[in-house]
Amino acid sequence: MLPSARSMQKTACGKKSLIWLSLSVACLLSMLATLYAIFIIAPTEARMGIVQKIFYIHVPSAYAMYLGFLLCGIGSALYLIKKDERWDRIALASGEVGLLFCVVVLITGPLWARKAWGVYWTWDPRLTTTLLAGLVFASYWVLRNLSAAGGEAEKKFAAALAVLGIVDLPVIHYSVQRWRGTHPAVISGKGGGLHPDMVPALLLAFLTFTLLVSLLITLRAHLEKLDQQAEALEYALQERALKQ
């Protein structure tokens, strides 16, 4: 029975490794194709010049941020309902990945804005609501990491915060149309639209970031599972030592 269980575990690990390897290779190839499309195929914008190429990183990063935060909120809600640690791990991994890409958005955005608007930052509705989402999920990350020392209360409070945090996502998306800020709505065709020759590079960038988000979330969730198993083993060894 024991050898069979070990064999099944090795098979499962082998399948996971194959999935991660496939995702990594696909992500690398897609990234190379995206860079080629951005700098070779896509035309250089007449007014902003080479700085406009930030667009191909900024917009897909915002999409990756949405995806990470949304999965974090969904995973947190399912954890609160089902009390299943698997959903908590998915929520944590997704929240960290979403926060990473939120930082990328808040770095690339001002760099692009300096050329387009003449300033690095303005309290535009989309910028402000994006910053708010970043602060909310940064708070989630801090609370969730405190749960390792504090217990279930902090973990549940962090999950509830993540569920509330995803309410800000549609506000970010529709802030341009609702409040008519400075930020353009390029994807919807407003703010000057997008040149047809730029579309392939943008689509490839979306594909690359989708693969990258999938890879990072699965790897981070697995790492969290290993950390929890190591903590449980350490606790069991301490209990055994105390009994002896």
Side-chain angles (χ1 to χ4, degrees):
M1 186 69 180
L2 185 59
S4 177
R6 288 180 177 176
S7 177
M8 290 176 63
Q9 187 176 12
K10 287 182 179 179
T11 302
C13 290
K15 289 181 179 179
K16 287 182 180 179
S17 299
L18 182 60
I19 291 173
W20 292 332
L21 179 60
S22 301
L23 271 175
S24 299
V25 172
C27 187
L28 177 60
L29 294 176
S30 181
M31 190 176 298
L32 293 174
T34 300
L35 291 173
Y36 179 83
I38 291 172
F39 292 103
I40 305 300
I41 298 177
T44 302
E45 207 271 338
R47 186 169 63 88
M48 287 185 288
I50 194 67
V51 177
Q52 188 271 340
K53 301 289 185 180
I54 295 175
F55 166 81
Y56 301 103
I57 304 299
H58 179 71
V59 175
S61 293
Y63 155 76
M65 176 194 72
Y66 284 142
L67 192 58
F69 287 166
L70 180 62
L71 290 175
C72 179
I74 293 173
S76 296
L78 291 172
Y79 167 70
L80 290 173
I81 295 170
K82 298 186 175 183
K83 305 296 188 296
D84 189 339
E85 291 293 332
R86 178 184 58 178
W87 291 113
D88 175 64
R89 291 193 294 268
I90 292 174
L92 175 63
S94 301
E96 289 185 355
V97 172
L99 193 57
L100 170 65
F101 284 105
C102 182
V103 172
V104 174
V105 169
L106 293 174
I107 291 175
T108 56
L111 293 175
W112 188 14
R114 182 64 179 85
K115 181 68 175 179
W117 303 337
V119 293
Y120 286 106
W121 182 268
T122 180
W123 292 101
D124 173 86
R126 176 162 288 181
L127 274 65
T128 305
T129 50
T130 301
L131 178 61
L132 176 61
L135 292 174
V136 169
F137 282 93
S139 301
Y140 161 82
W141 180 79
V142 171
L143 284 170
R144 177 56 184 75
N145 281 277
L146 285 175
S147 68
E152 288 296 314
E154 290 84 356
K155 188 182 291 188
K156 290 178 180 178
F157 190 83
L161 182 62
V163 173
L164 292 175
I166 62 175
V167 175
D168 189 41
L169 300 184
V171 178
I172 297 172
H173 185 73
Y174 292 107
S175 59
V176 175
Q177 296 92 331
R178 180 66 180 84
W179 291 296
R180 299 179 182 179
T182 309
H183 195 288
V186 179
I187 302 302
S188 64
K190 298 180 181 179
L194 190 65
H195 192 280
D197 292 341
M198 297 179 176
V199 173
L202 182 61
L203 293 178
L204 274 173
F206 276 119
L207 174 62
T208 298
F209 277 71
T210 300
L211 293 171
L212 184 58
V213 166
S214 302
L215 178 63
L216 291 176
I217 289 177
T218 53
L219 286 175
R220 181 62 185 91
H222 182 68
L223 179 60
E224 181 63 20
K225 181 180 180 180
L226 293 179
D227 285 342
Q228 291 176 352
Q229 290 175 344
E231 288 177 4
L233 180 60
E234 183 180 0
Y235 179 78
L237 291 173
Q238 288 176 352
E239 287 289 314
R240 183 177 179 181
L242 289 173
K243 289 179 180 180
Q244 291 177 347

